[in-house]
């Protein structure tokens, strides 16, 4: 997993909860590199799980909730860093299918060792059905990213989720439906 993911998590915790909690999260995670990450480095995704488990113990906030909040934060950072990807679409329903067919393809060109999930997308009437599959259990991260995408475009949507496969967060179906106003 790219270092940018780790530096963004640490920055989010520093900004939202303070430097002390961020330090305690890193110490509690008992990492071999003591929480020293560079944006272009590559690290074991297990370290992200260790950090979030430690943060959960520190704050009493459940892990899935923390990972979803991190997804929301990350989308804001992706928007700041790569505004052109967002400008190319007018809505959530245009943007989300491009994550698989275009955005993550470009990410892979920038970072050939990026570890990316796959998303199967199809429309069922007005509902966008997006199936997440990964070797890593980050369906909660995907959920936060999807939720924040809808907020970014100002689209009112309902996001229904069903865990699939081993139901361990490596596979999930998201059904994203506009809420009629
Ligand atoms: C401009 C928008 C986006 C950019 C630039 C981007 C880029 C990235 C990058 C750099 C990573 C880390 C890869 C690694 O650590 O090796 C990543 C991972 C990930 N991305 Fe995206 N992404 C974007 C939008 C999205 C959206 C909207 C979703 C959800 C629908 C999404 C889902 C994920 C997930 C779940 C991961 C974690 C890895 C995994 O689950 O296996 N991304 N993305």
């Amino acid at each position: 997993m790219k270092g940018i993911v780790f530096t963004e998590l640490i920055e989010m915790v520093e900004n939202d909860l303070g430097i002390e909690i961020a330090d305690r999260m890193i110490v509690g995670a008992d990492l071999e590199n003591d929480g020293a990450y560079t944006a272009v480095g590559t690290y074991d995704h297990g370290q992200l799980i260790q950090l979030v488990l430690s943060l959960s113990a520190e704050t009493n906030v459940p892990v899935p909730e923390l990972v979803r909040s991190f997804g929301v934060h990350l989308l804001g950072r992706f928007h700041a860093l790569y505004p052109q990807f967002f400008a190319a679409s007018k809505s959530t329903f245009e943007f989300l299918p491009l994550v698989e067919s275009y955005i993550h393809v470009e990410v892979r060109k920038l970072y050939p060792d990026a570890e990316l999930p796959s998303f199967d997308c199809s429309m069922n009437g007005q509902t966008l059905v997006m199936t997440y599959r990964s070797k890593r259990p980050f369906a909660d991260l995907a959920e936060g990213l999807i939720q924040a995408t809808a907020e970014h475009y100002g689209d009112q949507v309902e996001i229904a989720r069903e865990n699939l496969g081993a139901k361990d967060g490596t596979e999930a179906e998201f059904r994203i439906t506009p809420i009629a106003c």
Side-chain angles (χ1 to χ4, degrees):
M1 182 153 254
K2 299 308 297 176
I4 183 177
V5 179
F6 295 87
T7 54
E8 286 302 337
L9 175 70
I10 294 167
E11 217 166 283
M12 176 187 86
V13 176
E14 280 177 358
N15 290 340
D16 294 357
L17 303 170
I19 284 195
E20 267 181 43
I21 302 264
D23 281 346
R24 288 216 288 273
M25 167 180 79
I26 291 165
V27 171
D30 198 16
L31 305 165
E32 47 205 46
N33 59 348
D34 292 327
Y37 298 101
T38 66
V40 290
T42 302
Y43 308 86
D44 186 342
H45 75 272
Q47 290 199 358
L48 192 76
I49 295 169
Q50 278 171 259
L51 283 164
V52 176
L53 281 169
S54 169
L55 182 62
S56 175
E58 204 58 57
T59 57
N60 280 322
V61 179
V63 167
E65 213 174 293
L66 290 172
V67 176
R68 274 197 302 272
S69 306
F70 179 46
V72 171
H73 168 87
L74 209 50
L75 193 90
R77 294 297 298 145
F78 285 157
H79 179 238
L81 293 167
Y82 307 101
Q84 69 278 15
F85 289 135
F86 293 86
S89 295
K90 284 196 255 349
S91 79
T92 307
F93 295 88
E94 262 183 55
F95 177 83
L96 286 176
L98 294 178
V99 173
E100 173 74 14
S101 64
Y102 174 55
I103 297 171
H104 279 176
V105 177
E106 294 300 310
V107 168
R108 167 138 356 260
K109 289 183 197 163
L110 287 173
Y111 308 114
D113 57 351
E115 299 175 321
L116 295 162
S118 78
F119 286 102
D120 269 352
C121 294
S122 62
M123 289 303 292
N124 183 349
Q126 286 200 305
T127 300
L128 169 62
V129 183
M130 224 180 156
T131 305
Y132 164 87
R133 290 189 187 88
S134 177
K135 290 192 182 129
R136 295 156 293 280
F138 291 131
D140 292 318
L141 191 69
E143 189 175 336
L145 285 158
I146 292 169
Q147 185 196 320
T149 297
E151 282 159 18
H152 170 84
Y153 285 103
D155 291 327
Q156 305 263 48
V157 298
E158 186 198 293
I159 302 167
R161 168 172 164 185
E162 190 188 340
N163 291 318
L164 303 175
K167 298 193 195 291
D168 58 357
T170 57
E171 208 177 325
E173 182 186 88
F174 297 97
R175 303 179 69 86
I176 304 139
T177 309
I179 298 171
C181 306

